[in-house]
């Protein structure tokens, strides 16, 4: 099998690598960008989530704190009024302190702010254990004063209460004025321990992850809760809108910035999977493209095989060593060996035994011309070579071998591809055609001889009849002179010698003319060069007019001759041209003889200048236009079609060669001949016929006119 054609390649023959590399680079860059974006987005997301969690904790803590302070207030307001109550205040206060660990101490004061009763929380050490209460009541007093004015509970600012062992705690005083209608009856002052307040919130989620603090507006931390320490990154701060206390609740997540490494590896895994996906998609597409290309290739191969099998031309491929690598069925049929035998043979079995050495030498020579295997592709060996092959049975036959270099996909010369044409049939046909041509030529020679004989008899008829009539006339003259009627003594006619001389000269002229006719016709048949000479047309007419007139006289026809002055000059074979004029004139006279009334029998001969003016340009000197017009019946259409056909005649004694000869002569002189029926006469009879022919001028009109001027008129 032949090497398969290469897959699509660039114009310089290399496969398209560059665009693919660019695609891969773009893919890698895209993957990198995607991974970086992924990492950034993940980090952002994680940070936002952490911040959200802090916000959630802050919101929950704030809600819980508000709710706690609300119930605290309600509990304080629910405490018995004091001395007048059925339940002792101290017992109720202690009970309440047990329920609210955030409150360190409860005091009931009268309307003059004197302490009526106090109760310390049983859950902790007394708040004012180390520092006497009296020294720390300024805040409480201010708060109660404000509470009294607003008639609503109020918190004091936070204050530090030192404890035992160098410790201490931040507390706030919550003051609830006690009113009896519009009268102030006293105050309940609760000391709220801030850290306990936070601990008491008991939020389910925050203990390990978030640090809760209560801070002042300037950021000073007053209390904190939770085992976790805040990292100071995800902070949520909310205003603790306790009446009178401008404090804030702050939630600080223990969580730090999200770590890059796990995100990076996630992104890497994701990116690689994306890359893998892209590669798979590309591979699938590539696979599909390959499949399509393969199917196209298979179709092309099938098409080529069908084409090669159907060819009647033999195809043969050889490698550089001359070994056959492929032959098509037509080649096998031609030489009578199968493909396997041809490819296996060292010496092709179709080489005629006696020429093997020659053929081998030729092959070696060609290999040396072709150069090295795989080298530059030779171009000079494409022309066809005629040689001889041998069929299986030993029959030699001529072949034409067209050989072209075989070039592989990389542009390397790998061998030779030949188209082999069996020339046997062509040779047979050529031999046959040669024989036929020879036969044809022989027939043509015979026909020419016949034609020549016909022409001669036809054309010699006129000079001979002229000679005959001159001879008869001369004899009559002589007989008249010698007749007894004139008497022996009578004097001989003095004009007789002159007349006889004239008649004999005419006879001699006509004999000479007959000789020229024979020579010219002979020349035409033998295709010898004609005797061309430049003649003025009046000279032509001068020669033919006596004969024309002689013929016209018999039928009473008048002859009109119109020649321009100066007469055009043409380069012609004079004898043949005179023959043409004679033929046309004779035909015209004969056409009028019989049908046309004698009075109307006029034969008009005319020559005109045509073209050749200044506008005709160089090299175009114009034409002399001849016309021969008769008053006969004209030509019927069916006759017109065959007019110039040799041997076509409507006359009983006619040869039908006159017009065909005319056309041959005119065309040989570079002119054209045609004819035209003239309009019918008033009585309906034919209006006659005109034959026209042209001849190229030998001398341009201006030159002829100048030559014709009298000497005095010349410049
Ligand atoms: P031939 O004169 O021997 O018949 P030609 O070739 O000269 O041969 O003419 C062929 C035919 O053309 C004539 O037989 C005649 O019918 C026709 N023909 C030629 N000239 C004329 C003419 N002037 N008028 C009518 N018919 C003509």
């Amino acid at each position: 099998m032949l090497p398969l054609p290469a897959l699509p390649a660039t114009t310089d023959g290399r496969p398209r690598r560059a665009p693919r590399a660019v695609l891969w680079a773009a893919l890698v860059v895209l993957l990198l960008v995607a991974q970086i974006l992924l990492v950034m987005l993940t980090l952002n997301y994680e940070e936002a989530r952490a911040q959200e969690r802090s916000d959630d904790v802050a919101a929950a803590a704030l809600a819980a704190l508000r709710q706690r302070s609300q119930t605290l207030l309600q509990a304080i307001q629910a405490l018995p009024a004091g001395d007048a109550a059925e339940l002792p205040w101290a017992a109720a206060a202690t009970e309440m302190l047990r329920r609210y660990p955030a409150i360190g101490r409860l005091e009931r004061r009268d309307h003059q702010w004197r302490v009526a009763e106090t109760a310390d929380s049983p859950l902790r050490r007394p708040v004012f254990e180390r520092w006497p209460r009296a020294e720390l009541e300024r805040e409480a007093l201010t708060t109660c004063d404000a509470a009294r004015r607003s008639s609503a509970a109020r918190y004091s600012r936070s204050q530090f209460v030192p404890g035992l062992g160098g410790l201490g705690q931040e507390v706030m005083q919550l003051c609830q004025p006690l009113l009896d209608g519009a009268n102030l009856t006293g105050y309940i002052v609760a000391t709220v321990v801030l850290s306990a307040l936070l601990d008491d919130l008991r939020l389910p989620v925050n203990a390990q992850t978030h640090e809760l603090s209560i801070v002042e507006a300037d950021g000073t931390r007053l209390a904190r809760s939770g085992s976790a320490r805040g990292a100071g990154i995800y902070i949520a701060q909310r205003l603790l809108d306790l009446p009178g206390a401008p404090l804030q609740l702050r939630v600080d997540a223990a969580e730090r910035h999200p770590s890059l490494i796990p995100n990076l590896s996630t992104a890497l895994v994701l990116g690689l999977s994306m890359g893998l996906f892209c590669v798979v998609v590309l591979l699938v597409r590539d696979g599909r493209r390959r499949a399509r290309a393969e199917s196209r290739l298979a179709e092309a191969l099938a098409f080529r095989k069908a084409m090669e099998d159907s060819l009647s031309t033999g195809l043969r491929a050889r490698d550089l060593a001359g070994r056959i690598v492929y032959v098509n069925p037509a080649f096998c049929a031609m030489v009578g060996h199968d493909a396997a035998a041809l490819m296996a043979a060292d010496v092709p079995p179709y080489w005629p035994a006696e020429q093997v050495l020659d053929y081998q030498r030729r092959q070696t020579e060609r290999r040396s011309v072709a150069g090295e295997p795989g080298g530059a592709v030779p171009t000079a060996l494409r022309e066809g070579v005629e040689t001889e092959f041998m069929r299986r049975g030993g029959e030699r036959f001529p072949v034409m071998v067209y050989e072209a270099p075989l070039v592989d996909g990389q542009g390397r010369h790998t061998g030779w591809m030949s188209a082999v044409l069996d020339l046997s049939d062509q040779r047979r046909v050529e031999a046959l055609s040669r024989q036929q041509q020879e036969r044809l030529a022989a027939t043509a020679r015979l026909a020419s001889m016949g034609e020549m004989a016909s022409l001669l008899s036809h054309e010699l008829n006129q000079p001979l009849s002229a000679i005959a009539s001159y001879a008869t006339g001369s004899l009559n003259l002589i007989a008249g002179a010698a007749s007894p009627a004139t008497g022996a003594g009578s004097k001989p006619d003095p004009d007789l010698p002159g007349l006889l001389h004239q008649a004999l000269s005419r006879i001699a002229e006509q004999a000479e003319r007959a000789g020229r006719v024979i020579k010219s016709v002979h020349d035409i048949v033998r295709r010898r060069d004609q005797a061309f000479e430049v003649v003025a047309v009046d000279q032509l007419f001068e020669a033919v007019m006596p004969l024309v007139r002689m013929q016209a006289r018999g039928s009473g026809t008048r002859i009109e001759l119109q020649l321009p002055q100066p007469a055009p000059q043409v380069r012609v074979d004079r004898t043949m041209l005179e023959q043409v004029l004679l033929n046309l004139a004779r035909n015209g006279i004969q056409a009028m003889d019989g049908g046309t009334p004698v009075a109307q029998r006029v034969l008009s001969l005319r020559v005109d200048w045509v073209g050749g003016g200044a506008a005709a340009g160089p090299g175009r000197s114009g034409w002399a236009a001849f016309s021969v017009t008769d008053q006969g019946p004209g030509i019927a259409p069916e006759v017109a079609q065959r007019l110039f056909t040799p041997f076509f005649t409507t006359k009983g004694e006619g040869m039908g060669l006159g017009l065909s000869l005319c056309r041959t002569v005119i065309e040989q002189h570079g002119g054209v001949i045609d004819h035209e029926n003239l309009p019918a006469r008033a009585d309906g009879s034919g209006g006659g016929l005109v034959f026209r022919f042209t001849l190229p001028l030998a001398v341009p009109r201006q030159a002829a006119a100048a030559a014709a001027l009298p000497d005095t008129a010349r410049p």
Side-chain angles (χ1 to χ4, degrees), residues 341-652:
L342 288 169
M343 286 192 262
D346 290 330
V347 173
Y350 50 81
W351 282 2
E354 68 279 8
Q355 303 206 45
V356 167
L357 287 177
D358 256 10
Y359 285 11
Q360 267 168 345
R361 187 177 41 75
R362 208 163 64 187
Q363 209 173 48
T364 319
E365 274 170 15
R366 204 181 31 202
R367 228 180 296 159
S368 67
V369 172
E372 291 302 307
V377 180
T379 51
L381 300 171
R382 286 173 182 258
E383 75 276 7
V385 176
E386 197 176 329
T387 185
E388 196 178 53
F389 280 0
M390 181 176 75
R391 294 193 215 278
R392 194 186 177 86
E395 181 199 344
R396 271 63 167 168
F397 64 105
V399 288
M400 181 63 97
V401 182
Y402 295 93
E403 200 143 72
L406 256 181
V407 180
D408 70 5
Q410 275 71 47
R412 285 182 310 228
H413 178 209
T414 55
W416 301 93
M417 185 76 206
S418 319
V420 183
L421 289 180
D422 186 345
L423 297 181
S424 340
D425 285 346
Q426 193 183 325
R427 291 281 181 273
R428 256 196 299 280
V429 170
E430 278 170 9
L432 209 65
S433 130
R434 233 185 347 263
Q435 283 169 11
Q436 275 173 350
Q437 262 175 3
E438 277 162 13
R439 248 181 257 141
L440 210 66
T443 318
R445 271 197 298 275
L446 285 177
S448 310
M449 280 164 66
E451 194 184 348
M452 192 168 72
S454 308
L455 271 177
L456 278 175
S457 67
H458 181 263
E459 300 309 331
L460 288 178
N461 203 23
Q462 285 172 348
L464 287 179
S465 49
I467 288 171
S469 49
Y470 282 126
T472 313
S474 304
L475 283 174
N476 287 343
L477 282 174
I478 293 168
S483 76
T486 52
S490 62
K491 281 174 69 187
D493 184 355
D495 293 340
L496 185 65
L499 286 171
L500 278 178
H501 182 265
Q502 197 181 358
L504 286 174
S505 319
R506 293 274 192 266
I507 287 172
E509 268 174 30
Q510 290 306 318
E512 193 187 329
R513 179 178 156 66
R516 283 210 304 271
V517 166
I518 291 171
K519 186 172 175 295
S520 299
V521 173
H522 180 256
D523 283 351
I524 285 183
V525 174
R526 282 301 174 95
R527 304 240 183 278
R528 288 227 322 254
D529 286 347
Q530 285 112 332
F532 280 92
E533 58 187 308
V534 175
V535 241
V537 293
D538 48 1
Q539 287 173 291
L540 292 174
F541 280 95
E542 216 170 277
V544 296
M545 282 320 276
L547 284 172
V548 173
R549 290 214 167 86
M550 200 167 68
Q551 206 160 10
R553 217 171 294 132
S555 62
T557 304
R558 274 187 295 121
I559 305 291
E560 287 176 0
L561 177 63
Q562 250 182 297
L563 296 176
Q565 273 309 320
Q569 295 183 29
V570 286
R571 191 165 179 279
V572 292
D573 180 334
R574 193 171 166 162
T575 314
M576 294 316 292
L577 244 295
E578 287 169 5
Q579 199 60 53
V580 168
L581 289 171
L582 271 178
N583 280 351
L584 294 179
R586 175 182 52 95
N587 277 349
I589 292 166
Q590 284 177 352
M592 290 185 285
D593 198 5
T596 312
V598 179
Q600 289 173 10
R601 290 181 190 173
V602 180
L603 183 78
S604 161
L605 302 160
R606 192 186 160 103
V607 178
D608 290 295
W609 293 94
V610 174
R620 286 228 164 254
S621 47
W623 304 87
F626 294 70
S627 63
V628 180
T629 313
D630 63 56
Q631 304 293 321
I635 292 182
E638 63 277 8
V639 176
Q641 279 174 6
R642 307 173 56 199
L643 209 56
F644 295 102
T645 313
F647 302 109
F648 170 75
T649 178
T650 57
K651 301 166 193 163

Side-chain angles (χ1 to χ4, degrees), residues 53 66 137 213 234 260 327 348 386 416 461 479 507 529 546 657:
R53 278 195 295 277
R66 280 194 187 137
E137 33 177 58
S213 343
Y234 307 111
L260 186 66
V327 281
E386 197 176 329
W416 301 93
N461 203 23
I507 287 172
D529 286 347
L657 283 166

